[in-house]
Amino acid sequence: MAELTPMMRQYLEIKEKHPDCILFFRLGDFYEMFNEDAKTASRELDLTLTTRDRNKPEDERTPMCGVPYHSCDSYIARLIAKGYKVAICEQTEDPALAKGLVEREIVRIITPGTVTAASMLEEGRNNFICAVCAEGERMGLCLCDISTGEVYATSIASDEPAHLENELGRYRPAEAVLSPGATQVEGLCDFLSARLDCTAQQMGGERFDFDSAWALTCRQFGQEGLPTDDPAAVCAAGGLLSYLYETQKTDLSYIANFNYYTTGQFMELDLTARQTLELTETLRAKEKRGSLLWVLDKTKTAMGSRLLRGWMERPLLSPVQIGRRQQAVGDLVEDIITREELALVLREVTDLERLIGRVVYGSAGGRDLVALANGLGRLPDIRNLLEGCSSSLLQTLRQELDDLPELREELGRALVDEPPFSVREGKFIRPGYHADVDRLRNVIDHGGELLAQLETETKEQTGIRNMKVSYNKVFGYYIEVAKSQIDLVPEGWVRKQTTVNSERYISQELKELEHTILSAQDQVVALEYQLFCQLKEQVCAHVARIQQSAAAVAQVDVLCSFASVAAANSYCMPQVDDSDVLTIVEGRHPVVEKMLKGTPFVPNDTHMDGTGDLCAVITGPNMAGKSTYMRQVALIVLMAQMGSFVPAKSARVGIVDRVFTRIGASDDLAAGQSTFMVEMSEVAQLLRHATGRSLLILDEIGRGTSTYDGMAIARAVVEFCVDKKRLGTKTLFATHYHELTQLEGQLPGVKNYNIAAKKRKDDVIFLRKIVRGGADQSYGVEVAKLAGVPDRVIKRAREILDELERGEGRGVGDAAPCTPTDGQVSLGDMGGQTVLAKLRMTDVNILSPIEALNLLAELKSDLNG
């Protein structure tokens, strides 16, 4: 094999240290990839695969491909989206000054969880990377969004992996770093990859050692505020920091606020509940439109949009904190002028969180600094608008809005309004800011005038009239003097060339001016970059103040969004307390009512408590609105605990610690689980983890098996839910097992409700109203007709249904009389056809009490023969 070039040896040495990354190797204006990296990049990015070794045998050629350095972000983003890691190898010295091979080294490693470029991030969504440490009695979890500097940490008991999955589901990290013990947690790796689409990798246990983790976290965040009594959380934080230091290789000082929380601070929602309630995206299309976030997100800033999503994922459990948010929303609902003016100002606030992150991280450009200054410049207006608000929360946020006037003024004086994309090309320092920049630009812009001025002055000084200053690529600038006047040439001039009619000279003044003109461009670019770095340092000195202001702006934006939605949709302020009461008057589904065009939404009441109204058994036909009603109740509870107003005439919500849902059915074929198995697994999870303060939403439990098995399971679940000694929690239970309506009166706390429907000949009209009592029939055939089932099938179904109801058929293809089984009594088999006929002909609505008693005696006589 041919001997490697020095450059290829350098490449292979660097690649050997990062075998799990695609190496972007800087060569001039391109990032080049070689060997297997080139083949992978060529395949994934549709790049042309080439080689520099065309004179070598084919098996000795080195495959390569490349992308322009100035447009690499889009290529990197595509690789990251496919799960690859990209190592950026830059030239660390000026090629013009290098002696021999240019020095290169890895400046950062980009992974799915460490993306900072705006083009690779979704504005309204955080991009978290997490670390899980499971090496003892508790599992530590730490999450970080390095684009904003946010850090969250907590710990969970090692025997509760479901709680860990719920916490991961809150944040949906793009990347996970796992301790050796974490990879052994049952189902964790599958959950991360299959349910969260998260890239997970195991790291060595030394990263999660407590002593080293404590040292790293103290160095990054300071000791104050760290959870000294939760070593698992500290170990997870230390492991994550170790990974970030290794991959980012830059200043991470903006990651400074360590937010430690316990799992009892927020309402817990498992991933199933988040999906079935369609909080941030729809279940089928996976899009924002049609979700609760779509309804509530009227934010004007990227920071506010991210925070709103965070509040939705982490509803509060403290009535006091909820009340502070509600009071702020109430102020803004009542003051429409302030609310609308705030919306106009907020629209002009830039993404301060991510801008300051990029500045400290080192990836910011001139445009980022201008955007930062512009965003800060709108804060005084927000502060002035909030001055008249009475809410304590709004006043606190007003005090936290720091617009840094000195920094804004400095950035405004230094930078032009629209800087170029790259800070390596100059032209972004404002004229008048720096004297040397102005002087060099003058040289660049007026070099010809300076040469003409030198020529005039030289003629006057020497008396040489027949001379001129010219330029060629061999000598550069020179003075050409006619031979008739060479006797006037000063002594200090140096002759460079003789032509037929003239002599060419160089003077010291011309030499200096030539150097100034030819080097001015390089000098001004270098000087502007130096000034840019100084400006960045000034900005970095105020990172904490900027982050505080950004957080305050985000909260104001979310509160304004809540107020706008509440005012536009006639929401009310719910009463949130520590009781076990859940009362909703004329509640509406926040999403469905927005999707209905021209059709009014039918509101419904809800009353539940910890005693007499603990479980609502809801019957009624399919498509009548049972699932919509139950989801509506859950969403109203969740909105209330976010601090939002709710779609109702009035509401009282006792704090709910967890919402569990079992709605819909689907196979999990990849895991080898049937619809019924998935359903039972979800039921098992909610019964195991629900508490007396939870809210359970159960839809058609037991439908995936035989009728008797399903009915037995459904009844047992209801009994478990209302039993105070076992669970005793508020439950909405929708079912087609009408036999379960018998539980009212048998089990304390169970009440029957149904969705009202009206039958007109062969059609059914759904009234969408929840009323007391059980449903009299399911209207299955009528629903099938509405769904478009062929008329011949509908007609035959009615015939079979009539036979079954008359007791004339045992099954679909059997017209023989039914045989009583398991103690069931068939009225038809007891000679009761006459009785049935009389009952069908009787209108019970018009019978008087005495007539009803006489009819009952007559029917009894007929049965007795």
Side-chain angles (χ1 to χ4, degrees), residues 317-391:
L317 296 182
S318 167
V320 175
Q321 293 180 346
I322 294 168
R324 292 190 75 209
R325 291 182 184 176
Q326 288 180 330
Q327 184 187 4
V329 175
D331 278 5
L332 295 169
V333 168
E334 294 174 5
D335 192 344
I336 184 172
I337 295 176
T338 297
R339 186 176 75 243
E340 293 300 324
E341 289 183 351
L342 277 171
L344 292 174
V345 176
L346 286 167
R347 196 186 302 274
E348 299 178 16
V349 178
T350 50
D351 194 346
L352 301 178
E353 279 182 334
R354 283 183 170 165
L355 286 170
I356 188 60
R358 287 202 291 274
V359 171
V360 181
Y361 186 84
S363 59
R367 294 180 181 180
D368 293 318
L369 292 189
V370 170
L372 183 67
N374 290 341
L376 292 172
R378 306 307 293 158
L379 301 193
D381 295 332
I382 299 175
R383 197 165 52 237
N384 293 336
L385 288 169
L386 294 177
E387 187 173 4
C389 296
S390 61
S391 159

Side-chain angles (χ1 to χ4, degrees), residues 531-542:
L531 294 172
F532 173 74
C533 292
Q534 293 174 5
L535 290 171
K536 283 202 305 180
E537 289 176 4
Q538 293 181 51
V539 173
C540 291
H542 301 289

Side-chain angles (χ1 to χ4, degrees), residues 26-32 67-71 91:
R26 182 70 177 270
L27 284 176
D29 290 339
F30 280 78
Y31 286 118
E32 299 288 357
V67 299
Y69 85 95
H70 54 77
S71 60
Q91 298 170 165

Side-chain angles (χ1 to χ4, degrees), residues 265-306:
Q265 286 180 239
F266 306 111
M267 177 194 289
E268 186 162 340
L269 293 159
D270 62 18
L271 194 61
T272 299
R274 297 174 198 280
Q275 292 175 338
T276 55
L277 294 178
E278 299 183 310
L279 297 186
T280 58
E281 63 183 18
T282 56
L283 195 58
R284 292 185 178 179
K286 303 297 181 185
E287 60 186 15
K288 183 178 177 180
R289 177 179 171 79
S291 68
L292 180 62
L293 183 64
W294 170 67
V295 173
L296 294 182
D297 189 4
K298 306 304 177 188
T299 55
K300 307 303 179 185
T301 70
M303 299 173 291
S305 183
R306 291 193 296 271

Side-chain angles (χ1 to χ4, degrees), residues 535-683:
L535 290 171
K536 283 202 305 180
E537 289 176 4
Q538 293 181 51
V539 173
C540 291
H542 301 289
V543 60
R545 294 168 65 185
I546 295 172
Q547 287 178 327
Q548 174 185 283
S549 295
V553 169
Q555 290 187 65
V556 171
D557 194 13
V558 174
L559 295 170
C560 279
S561 179
F562 283 170
S564 297
V565 173
N569 299 297
S570 301
Y571 288 1
C572 74
M573 181 191 293
Q575 176 187 345
V576 181
D577 53 35
D578 278 321
S579 69
D580 59 5
V581 174
L582 174 57
T583 300
I584 302 168
V585 178
E586 295 185 13
R588 314 184 305 275
H589 193 294
V591 180
V592 174
E593 75 167 348
K594 299 298 291 183
M595 300 294 282
L596 295 175
K597 296 181 179 179
T599 304
F601 187 91
V602 178
N604 277 297
D605 297 345
T606 303
H607 178 73
M608 306 184 78
D609 55 38
T611 52
D613 293 276
L614 194 59
C615 176
V617 174
I618 305 170
T619 50
N622 286 312
M623 293 176 59
K626 298 190 300 295
S627 295
T628 297
Y629 170 72
M630 294 192 298
R631 283 187 173 99
Q632 162 187 315
V633 174
L635 290 176
I636 288 175
V637 169
L638 186 140
M639 289 171 66
Q641 293 187 213
M642 287 172 62
S644 169
F645 283 22
V646 299
K649 185 176 181 180
S650 66
R652 181 185 178 189
V653 178
I655 288 293
V656 170
D657 65 351
R658 304 176 186 185
V659 173
F660 291 94
T661 63
R662 162 85 283 280
I663 300 175
S666 61
D667 293 335
D668 189 352
L669 299 179
Q673 294 184 325
S674 66
T675 297
F676 184 67
M677 186 62 182
V678 171
E679 176 184 315
M680 289 299 100
S681 297
E682 292 177 359
V683 170

